[in-house]
Amino acid sequence: MENFPNYSGYGQTPTVCANHPDRVSYARCGRCNRAICGECQMNQGAGTVCPDCYRELNGDIAKPKRSFIARHWYLTYTLILINVVMYGLQQIIPNEWVVRHGNIWWPYVQHGEYYRIISYGFLHMQNDPMHLVWNMINLFIYGVSLERMIGRWKFLVVYLGSIIFGALGVYVLAPGTSVVGASGGLFGLMGSFLTLLIIMKQKDTARVFVMITAPNIIYSILTPSNISHACHAGGFVGGVLLTLLFVPFVKKPEPSQPPQQSPQQWQNGRY
């Protein structure tokens, strides 16, 4: 599946990148107004333009060709790799040293160990490898999709910010608990994803998304376990707020009549 969600069958036409029709895109070229994904966005002065406009504005200077890894490697993969490496260190270093010095426990944070509001999101339960496995599966599913939709750096802001909000949720709702896990960031990605669907008026897809995720959330709440619901709630709220603050989601209205195109623009596919 190239991009989640799959809009087929819902009677809706999502905005897709002009150069990559398999990618849902919400950013637009500031010059020709075509939709462009994160890979196609190029900085030009005070705005972002597509590769074609960039070449026209800069004397047909082509965008440097990137390597295969650079074109296909997402920040999501780096985050997954960091989590796996940290779990390996948890197993190698004795006496649960990594967990004890990286978990979120607010008495330590209030005494100056502020790094814990981030580090806990890259650690997992020492004796439960499935905690890591399931979180990484969800990070892959939501991470790659959102990274394609909003761009890698905005995605990173949403993810890391949601981890911080998850820590704040623990502080507000369960300040005496010790928490590790990427769930705060993952619930932030869920909140961000749902927010984008609602704002873009993809109501049918948003409804399906809620129907898929709600039973899992309800089951986790009703099942006695070591799950930090406070962290989940804080991360979800953080994902929603950060998406509203940092992601440009307002689609410019399409003109009633398309502008006249020059022969050169028409030849370049600008139609």
Side-chain angles (χ1 to χ4, degrees):
M1 179 169 57
E2 280 294 327
N3 199 6
F4 182 83
N6 184 0
Y7 292 88
S8 61
Y10 296 107
Q12 301 173 352
T13 302
T15 305
V16 298
C17 176
N19 299 320
H20 302 93
D22 60 326
R23 302 180 185 179
V24 177
S25 304
Y26 299 124
R28 287 183 174 272
C29 173
R31 186 166 181 260
C32 68
N33 201 36
R34 294 193 302 173
I36 48 177
C37 66
E39 182 178 338
C40 294
Q41 296 175 24
M42 305 188 72
N43 293 326
Q44 176 65 37
T48 301
V49 296
C50 67
D52 289 339
C53 288
Y54 185 87
R55 283 192 293 268
E56 289 184 6
L57 294 171
N58 293 276
D60 204 29
I61 300 175
K63 183 178 179 180
K65 187 175 182 180
R66 299 184 298 167
S67 65
F68 177 85
I69 294 179
R71 286 184 283 113
H72 295 274
W73 184 270
Y74 294 95
L75 283 179
T76 300
Y77 302 156
T78 302
L79 294 173
I80 293 174
L81 182 60
I82 293 174
N83 278 273
V84 172
V85 170
M86 293 304 298
Y87 193 75
L89 293 177
Q90 289 179 231
Q91 306 303 315
I92 295 173
I93 301 177
N95 302 321
E96 297 187 351
W97 185 90
V98 176
V99 172
R100 290 190 293 106
H101 289 80
N103 63 1
I104 181 68
W105 197 56
W106 276 97
Y108 286 160
V109 175
Q110 292 169 331
H111 280 82
E113 298 183 12
Y114 303 114
Y115 67 89
R116 290 177 180 265
I117 64 176
I118 287 289
S119 62
Y120 86 95
F122 294 90
L123 305 177
H124 289 82
M125 295 178 64
Q126 188 90 2
N127 300 316
D128 184 9
M130 294 309 298
H131 184 214
L132 172 71
V133 171
W134 286 117
N135 276 351
M136 294 304 98
I137 290 175
N138 283 284
L139 178 55
F140 173 77
I141 293 173
Y142 293 107
V144 173
S145 300
L146 274 176
E147 198 170 337
R148 286 178 170 179
M149 293 168 70
I150 66 179
R152 61 178 56 187
W153 300 117
K154 290 169 187 171
F155 156 76
L156 186 63
V157 168
V158 171
Y159 182 73
L160 296 181
S162 297
I163 290 178
I164 296 175
F165 269 88
L168 294 176
V170 174
Y171 176 73
V172 173
L173 302 176
T177 59
S178 173
V179 178
V180 293
S183 299
L186 295 177
F187 270 76
L189 298 185
M190 294 181 190
S192 175
F193 204 95
L194 182 60
T195 302
L196 288 173
L197 292 178
I198 294 175
I199 290 174
M200 296 304 295
K201 298 182 180 180
Q202 304 292 339
K203 296 181 180 179
D204 292 334
T205 308
R207 188 178 299 113
V208 172
F209 176 78
V210 171
M211 291 175 62
I212 293 174
T213 57
N216 293 327
I217 296 174
I218 294 173
Y219 176 79
S220 67
I221 293 175
L222 298 179
T223 302
S225 62
N226 294 323
I227 297 175
S228 176
H229 303 300
C231 183
H232 292 178
F236 187 89
V237 172
V240 173
L241 294 179
L242 291 169
T243 301
L244 294 175
L245 287 173
F246 293 107
V247 178
F249 51 79
V250 179
K251 186 169 67 172
K252 297 179 181 179
E254 297 291 342
S256 56
Q257 294 293 334
Q260 296 294 323
Q261 304 293 333
S262 67
Q264 181 64 31
Q265 288 177 319
W266 196 91
Q267 182 179 359
N268 290 337
R270 193 103 14 97
Y271 52 85

